[in-house]
Structures are given as structure tokens and as C-alpha cells.
């Protein structure tokens, strides 16, 4: 039975992490939000209230994945290597209740218009979804003709993406990069959004130099620039630590396991005095995973999963001995802070009822999105329209 249909749902007795450790709490859900939270909430004055007993489980915010190829990625081996669209059930079974979609290498046969349609579809099907305009190349493909107009006028667009320091990038000039980031900044201000710029980072020895060029050539704050895939090489990881110490956010990819997996990257960054609040983790899910030789020839290709996000969280706790309250932050509240998503990434009265219920082994038991149960006993209870 869909317990959320009763209108008011009481989740009773879980150990709650907001992500701060709050001990055993009851949560009252209604209208897609948390309307009350206390050590005990009586249900006798709430006729028709559905009560869910969660004693023995851990309750925390749903995961926010800010880097997913919702309409697929790839194409580096030709049209047959384009990865397919992602299904709703894959996202929720991975504990993801808020997702940000983007384009990758292929900004020619894939379009921001299609990405916007998929973003709206996922929102209709039950989770929260946003998107970035742009793709790998500059000038950016957009919906309205400019980055600033996209952010100002399109509700679902919260930032822009491009690729730098990669042989698949368009080799953008410093001036073009600065203009892109400045447009995102202004569009964000006019649209009431974060106005962030996300940078796919490749293996070029230039490392993060293009981001410092933006800071030199514009007045865009460093906190609006996010380099990602920073665990793909040791030199890039080292550069990321310096960027974070300078005040920037840094993003590690849970889909990258070598040379540094995301959990190890977070642990090493914190040990190197990088503030935990400036670290995020995303999956790069549903994109292609191409393998190139030293000459740049494609030698293999696969599809990234979104379940790597929860695995990284689990590894951070079980192998690197992070308290769960700290381990959750790069997957929840830190991401919400960077993206300017109020009501997301934390559990408190007034927040959206996006919830992850975990077993003692940190496996998914239930997922709730917008106050509706979408996963039970680790399996999706909802399906996308064409699943």
C-alpha cells in the first residue's frame, strides 16, 4: 500500500541524521514536506495518519546527485555507442531524490531541449530534477540563445557546464570561459538561482589553470566555479586541494575508482585540511565510460552507474571511519548549499520530505521523495512512464 496517500504520514522511531546526529526522532510528513520532528509525536490526534515503524533503521536526507546524463551520453565510438536515457527506478533505487542532468561530449545529436523534457518528466514521475545548460563545447548550446537567458527564464536551469583540459573539449580561450561563467552568474542573479559553472576536467597537464584564468579575467566568485572528476589523476587531485584551500568547491566522481576512489579522495582531502563543507561527490551516472590509449584512440566503452554514489558513502563510513553525520555531507547538504537548493539536503521542519532509510549495514531499506514512498526493501515501488 502507498502509505503517503493517507495525506499525513508518521515515520516513527528511526535514528535520525539531519545530517547532524539527532538521536531517535519521529517525523511527520504532509504535502511533500517535513512538518514536525520530535523524539515522540502522538498519532491519536491525527485521524487517518499512516504510521511507519522505523525502529532499528537510520533516517537521513535523500542523496543529491548533481552530475547525471539523464538522456544518455557517449557517442565517442559512433552513433551506436550513445548511451540510453536513465529510468526513474534506477535513480530512486540508488537513493537519489534530487538529480541534476547535463550533456556531455555530444552536444550535436543531443540537445538542451531534450534534456529539459527529460528533467520535467522525472519531476512529474516523482523526484526533484534540475539541469545545466551547455555541453562540452563553447560557445554553449542553449535553449533561448544565451546562457544568461536560460538561467533567467527557464525554471529548471540552474547553471552551465563545459569541458576543459580535455582532448574532447573545444579548446576554449580564457576570454570565452570567463564570459560563460559571467553569464551564468548574472543569469543566476536575475533568475534567483545559484548561477554556477561546472567544468568537466580531463587529463591535460594544464590542470586547473583555466579556472584561475577565469578568476583573473572576471569578477565571478570562486564559489560559483565547480571542477569535477578531480579524482581521475594524482596531479589533478593535488591541484584540487589547492583550489579548495583558495575557497573553491571541489567535486569527486564516485564512478571513478582508479587511481583514487571518491571515498579515499574525500578522506585524503579532509586530512589535508580541506574544509569538508567545500567537498561534494557526484556519480557521472548514465554517461559513457570511454577508455583511450596514449594516442587518444578509443579502446573500450561502458556505461556509468548511479549506485556508485551510495557505495562511496558506505566506504567512507566503513573503511575510512568517518562518522555518518560527516560522511553524509558531500552527498547532501554540501551539494544543496553549492546549488542553492533550499529545502534540500537536510532534515528539519519545513524541508522537503526527501528521505533515505538505511539498514545498520547502510544498505537502502526505503526511499521517500516529496513525501511519497518510492522504494521499499531496496526495490522501487514506482516506475517511469515507459518502464
Amino acid at each position: 500500500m502507498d502509505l503517503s496517500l493517507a495525506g499525513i504520514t508518521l515515520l516513527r522511531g528511526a535514528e535520525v541524521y539531519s545530517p547532524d546526529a539527532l538521536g531517535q526522532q519521529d517525523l511527520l510528513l504532509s504535502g511533500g514536506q517535513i512538518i514536525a520532528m520530535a523524539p515522540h509525536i502522538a498519532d491519536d490526534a491525527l485521524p487517518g495518519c499512516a504510521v511507519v515503524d522505523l525502529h532499528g533503521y537510520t533516517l537521513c536526507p535523500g542523496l543529491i546527485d548533481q552530475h547525471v546524463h539523464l538522456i544518455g551520453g557517449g557517442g565517442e565510438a559512433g552513433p551506436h555507442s550513445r548511451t540510453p536515457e536513465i529510468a526513474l527506478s534506477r535513480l530512486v533505487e540508488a537513493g537519489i531524490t534530487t538529480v541534476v542532468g547535463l550533456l556531455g561530449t555530444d552536444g550535436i545529436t543531443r540537445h538542451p531541449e531534450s534534456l529539459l523534457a527529460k528533467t520535467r518528466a522525472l519531476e512529474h514521475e516523482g523526484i526533484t530534477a534540475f539541469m545545466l545548460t551547455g555541453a562540452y563545447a563553447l560557445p554553449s548550446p542553449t535553449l533561448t540563445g544565451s546562457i544568461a537567458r536560460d538561467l533567467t527564464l527557464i525554471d529548471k536551469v540552474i547553471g552551465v557546464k563545459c569541458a576543459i583540459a580535455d582532448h574532447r573539449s573545444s579548446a576554449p580561450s580564457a576570454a570565452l570561459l570567463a564570459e560563460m561563467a559571467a553569464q551564468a552568474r548574472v543569469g543566476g542573479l536575475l533568475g534567483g538561482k545559484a548561477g554556477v559553472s561546472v567544468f568537466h576536467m580531463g587529463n591535460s597537464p594544464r590542470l586547473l589553470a583555466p579556472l584561475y584564468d577565469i578568476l583573473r579575467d572576471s569578477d565571478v566568485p570562486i564559489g560559483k566555479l565547480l571542477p569535477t572528476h578531480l579524482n581521475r589523476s594524482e596531479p589533478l587531485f593535488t591541484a584540487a586541494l589547492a583550489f579548495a584551500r583558495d575557497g573553491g568547491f571541489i567535486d569527486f566522481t564516485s564512478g571513478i575508482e582508479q587511481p583514487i576512489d571518491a571515498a579515499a579522495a574525500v578522506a585524503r582531502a579532509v586530512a589535508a585540511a580541506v574544509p569538508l563543507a567545500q567537498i561534494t561527490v557526484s556519480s557521472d551516472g548514465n554517461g559513457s565510460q570511454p577508455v583511450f590509449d596514449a594516442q587518444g584512440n578509443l579502446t573500450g566503452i561502458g556505461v556509468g552507474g548511479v549506485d556508485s554514489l551510495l557505495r562511496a558513502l558506505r566506504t567512507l563510513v566503513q573503511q575510512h571511519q568517518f562518522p555518518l553525520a560527516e560522511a553524509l555531507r558531500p552527498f547532501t547538504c554540501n551539494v544543496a548549499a553549492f546549488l542553492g537548493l533550499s529545502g534540500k539536503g537536510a532534515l528539519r521542519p519545513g524541508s522537503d520530505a526527501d528521505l533515505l532509510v538505511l539498514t545498520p549495514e547502510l544498505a537502502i531499506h526505503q526511499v521517500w521523495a516529496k513525501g511519497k514512498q518510492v522504494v521499499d526493501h531496496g526495490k522501487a515501488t514506482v516506475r517511469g512512464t515507459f518502464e
Side-chain angles (χ1 to χ4, degrees):
M1 182 180 71
D2 182 359
L3 296 174
S4 65
L5 291 179
I8 300 178
T9 303
L10 179 62
L11 306 183
R12 189 179 294 290
E15 290 292 321
V16 172
Y17 288 78
S18 68
D20 293 331
L22 301 181
Q24 196 172 94
Q25 300 281 328
D26 292 351
L27 272 71
L28 195 62
L29 315 181
S30 181
Q33 292 188 319
I34 301 169
I35 60 172
M37 180 165 60
H40 179 73
I41 299 174
D43 61 277
D44 52 2
L46 300 168
C49 175
V51 180
V52 182
D53 185 359
L54 295 179
H55 285 88
Y57 292 99
T58 294
L59 183 64
C60 60
L63 305 183
I64 304 173
D65 196 338
Q66 63 179 330
H67 198 116
V68 178
H69 294 270
L70 298 178
I71 60 172
E76 290 97 339
H80 67 281
S81 64
R82 297 164 82 250
T83 65
E85 290 192 5
I86 197 165
L88 173 69
S89 60
R90 281 186 60 201
L91 292 167
V92 297
E93 286 183 352
I96 297 166
T97 55
T98 299
V99 67
V100 180
L102 35 69
L103 298 180
T105 310
D106 184 2
I108 297 172
T109 70
R110 300 188 191 275
H111 320 97
E113 292 86 352
S114 297
L115 179 58
L116 177 61
K118 179 66 173 181
T119 301
R120 295 201 189 283
L122 288 170
E123 188 84 35
H124 176 81
E125 290 170 347
I127 65 173
T128 301
F130 297 98
M131 64 171 280
L132 303 180
T133 193
Y136 268 30
L138 288 179
S140 299
T142 63
L143 292 154
T144 64
S146 82
I147 295 166
R149 288 177 64 84
D150 279 10
L151 270 83
T152 302
L153 300 175
I154 309 298
D155 58 335
K156 288 298 177 184
V157 179
I158 58 175
V160 65
K161 176 200 174 177
C162 77
I164 57 176
D166 191 291
H167 66 95
R168 294 164 293 172
S169 79
S170 58
S173 67
L176 201 55
L177 282 171
E179 181 184 2
M180 181 201 78
Q183 280 207 41
R185 170 63 169 164
V186 172
L189 291 172
L190 296 176
K193 303 166 186 173
V196 298
S197 297
V198 176
F199 301 87
H200 162 100
M201 300 302 306
N203 286 316
S204 166
R206 297 181 66 206
L207 303 174
L208 296 181
L211 271 66
Y212 285 99
D213 290 343
I214 294 173
L215 297 172
R216 181 197 66 213
D217 296 340
S218 76
D219 294 310
V220 175
I222 192 172
K224 296 299 179 180
L225 310 179
L226 182 71
T228 188
H229 312 324
L230 296 172
N231 50 320
R232 73 185 315 154
S233 74
E234 285 287 350
L236 187 57
F237 175 77
T238 300
L241 301 185
F243 186 77
R245 293 193 198 102
D246 288 337
F249 281 84
I250 54 176
D251 187 62
F252 300 122
T253 301
S254 58
I256 295 175
E257 297 182 354
Q258 296 293 335
I260 314 169
D261 67 76
V266 172
R268 287 175 57 183
V270 170
V274 170
L276 180 62
Q278 290 166 226
I279 301 171
T280 63
V281 179
S282 60
S283 72
D284 195 17
N286 206 49
S288 67
Q289 294 183 322
V291 179
F292 298 95
D293 63 19
Q295 289 72 46
N297 299 309
L298 187 74
T299 60
I301 195 166
V303 181
V306 289
D307 53 351
S308 61
L309 207 60
L310 184 65
R311 288 202 306 271
L313 171 63
R314 190 182 301 122
T315 301
L316 201 54
V317 174
Q318 296 176 347
Q319 294 187 21
H320 297 280
Q321 306 303 308
F322 267 57
L324 183 59
E326 294 182 13
L328 282 165
R329 294 179 182 277
F331 306 85
T332 57
C333 61
N334 292 359
V335 191
F338 174 71
L339 297 177
L341 304 181
S342 61
K344 301 293 185 182
L347 303 185
R348 64 175 73 94
S351 295
D352 292 344
D354 295 337
L355 314 168
L356 193 57
V357 181
L358 301 174
T359 69
E361 298 77 28
L362 301 184
I364 290 177
H365 175 56
Q366 293 178 353
V367 178
W368 297 70
K370 301 180 184 179
K372 178 180 179 181
Q373 187 176 347
V374 294
V375 171
D376 191 26
H377 292 89
K379 297 298 181 182
T381 58
V382 295
R383 290 287 185 270
T385 306
F386 296 104
E387 288 192 69

